[in-house]
Amino acid sequence: MANTLVPLPAPCPPGRVPRVCVVVGDAVSAVKLAPVVVAMRERDRVRPLVLACGTGAAGAVAALAEFGLTPDHTTAPAPAEGDGSCAAALLADLDEVFAGREPDAVLVQGDSATAFSAAMAAFYQQVPVVHLDAGVRSFDLTAPFPQEGHRRLIAQVSSLHLAATPDAVANLAEEAHTGPKVLTVGSTAVDAALAALDRHTGHADPGVRELAAAVAAGRARVVPVVLDPDRWSREAASAVLRGVGDLVLATPDLEVVLPAAGELRERAEDLLGRLVRVTITDPLPQPALLALLSAAAAAVTDSAALAEQAPTFGVPVLVVGGERGGWAEPDRAGHPWTAGPDRAVVARIAEKLVLSRVRRRPPSNPFGDGRAAARCEQAVQWLLGLRPRPGEFAPPAR
């Protein structure tokens, strides 16, 4: 259904391959967008131009490199004095880039300041916006702030909404975003996980390599604990780490691998470094992390992407974050448990998940089937008038 306030693609001159600017602002967006870029390059019906920009550009470039991709353009880091100044600087940079590149569409992911600024810059130039991971909502503009506002505003100017799940589609429908330009495609994080496993050739860290061998031989079980150091106060991080320590002490055959850097690593070494069955490492490359996840008894993380990837391997997940003391059990198979940064709650739920895995379950992932990137590439083609509308992702029956 056409919306006169949303730019529709202009006809592409005969013989010219349409250009799509793919904007990445951090490692997470790079991991989710890289499979789409790969699919575009393989099909060669549209030409992806990868732009890495913002304060997380260095992490985005490193993540893209793991997929064999390099950005076509990298902007100078935006100032970090505040969310407003960061978004304004990004918008000005991207407005200039889009004017020079003249894209036929702009693809953004998620709810970062980079995604918001890119969407607005494209909108001002009447370039269609394609939003990957559309429809994620907390329904509270204050949490997460400002991401929830970014999500809603990007939706208002998007010509194509690529939602991972039917739940996200339902959220969009509540805001009157309906019709053929809303598609359920699945999570491209699942595609990225499978591609990462294909690239894995062995663990570089000797401690992780030895532990992986013990897990493969059935002598141990492993739980990766993956946390973003920028999301945690010292007090909240300490509560989660102490909960992980309690989990290790309560489960004799359990090993924990905790990739961390900076202040989080220092805190982890202070609180957990004396425990024999805790391996604290440098941040792991995606292939090594996904190989570890695929063999895990459970995972503890604050990463939505990791929570979407784990069900592919039948691994239960505890997502930590939110209010201290709060927790929730999932109402559907494959969805994660959640808990606030509370020592006792983290330890208790993580132990429950570890003990629940008596044997591996057949994988059934409600977030994706490994073909999301192909659907996204086909959907962009459809928007540009190059092919029929693609089929949609349908999660496994409950």
Side-chain angles (χ1 to χ4, degrees):
M1 182 182 297
N3 181 340
T4 56
L5 297 179
V6 174
L8 299 177
C12 192
R16 186 174 75 82
V17 177
R19 293 184 293 266
V20 178
C21 281
V22 181
V23 182
V24 296
D26 54 29
V28 173
S29 65
V31 166
K32 289 204 163 189
L33 286 166
V36 183
V37 174
V38 170
M40 287 178 172
R41 291 187 174 177
E42 288 177 349
R43 292 295 301 275
D44 200 27
R45 298 295 305 277
V46 299
R47 180 187 172 198
L49 304 173
V50 182
L51 314 180
C53 53
T55 55
V61 172
L64 289 169
E66 294 194 16
F67 291 85
L69 301 174
T70 56
D72 297 281
H73 179 89
T74 303
T75 68
E81 287 83 0
D83 295 319
S85 62
C86 178
L90 283 166
L91 198 157
D93 286 344
L94 288 165
D95 184 71
E96 182 177 347
V97 172
F98 295 160
R101 299 278 182 166
E102 296 185 344
D104 297 279
V106 169
L107 172 60
V108 302
Q109 181 276 330
D111 51 23
S112 66
T114 300
F116 168 68
S117 302
M120 294 308 300
F123 176 70
Y124 287 141
Q125 295 197 26
Q126 299 189 53
V127 175
V129 175
V130 180
H131 188 199
L132 179 63
D133 285 341
V136 176
R137 294 292 184 273
S138 70
F139 299 102
D140 180 354
L141 274 173
T142 68
F145 182 87
Q147 288 86 351
E148 177 71 5
H150 291 163
R151 298 164 183 164
R152 299 191 198 185
L153 292 167
I154 293 171
Q156 293 299 318
V157 300
S158 292
S159 296
L160 181 60
H161 308 264
L162 302 178
T165 64
D167 287 348
V169 170
N171 291 341
L172 289 167
E174 288 197 18
E175 298 171 4
H177 301 297
T178 58
K181 290 193 175 129
V182 178
L183 285 88
T184 310
V185 295
S187 173
T188 56
V190 178
D191 301 48
L194 296 173
L197 269 186
D198 287 342
R199 298 194 305 273
H200 180 64
T201 57
H203 292 286
D205 184 289
V208 176
R209 186 166 59 246
E210 182 178 345
L211 175 56
V215 172
R219 300 192 303 270
R221 292 182 294 170
V222 65
V223 169
V225 177
V226 183
L227 304 174
D228 181 347
D230 295 332
R231 294 185 183 180
W232 295 93
S233 67
R234 183 179 178 86
E235 179 185 4
S238 296
V240 173
L241 293 173
R242 287 191 172 100
V244 170
D246 294 342
L247 168 68
V248 172
L249 294 173
T251 317
D253 69 335
L254 189 69
E255 301 268 358
V256 161
V257 175
L258 201 163
E263 186 176 340
L264 180 63
R265 177 159 186 163
E266 293 174 7
R267 194 68 183 143
E269 288 176 341
D270 181 45
L271 296 175
L272 304 176
R274 290 180 292 276
L275 295 179
V276 174
R277 289 180 285 112
V278 174
T279 302
I280 301 171
T281 75
D282 292 332
L284 297 175
Q286 280 288 304
L289 179 60
L290 269 297
L292 197 65
L293 178 67
S294 69
V300 177
T301 186
D302 56 12
S303 166
L306 204 70
E308 293 169 353
Q309 294 166 334
T312 295
F313 312 111
V315 176
V317 179
L318 171 61
V319 173
V320 288
E323 296 298 321
R324 185 175 181 274
W327 63 276
E329 180 177 357
D331 60 354
R332 283 169 284 181
H335 286 248
W337 286 67
T338 60
D342 183 290
R343 175 178 182 172
V345 173
V346 168
R348 185 171 70 250
I349 296 178
E351 183 180 7
K352 178 182 179 69
L353 296 184
V354 169
L355 295 176
S356 71
R357 291 206 71 217
V358 177
R359 59 183 179 183
R360 297 187 70 86
R361 297 184 299 275
S364 179
N365 193 334
F367 301 108
D369 57 3
R371 295 191 289 274
R375 293 188 188 94
C376 292
E377 187 271 342
Q378 292 166 7
V380 172
Q381 280 196 54
W382 171 68
L383 178 71
L384 298 173
L386 301 176
R387 59 153 290 148
R389 188 175 185 272
E392 300 189 55
F393 169 64
R398 298 184 189 180

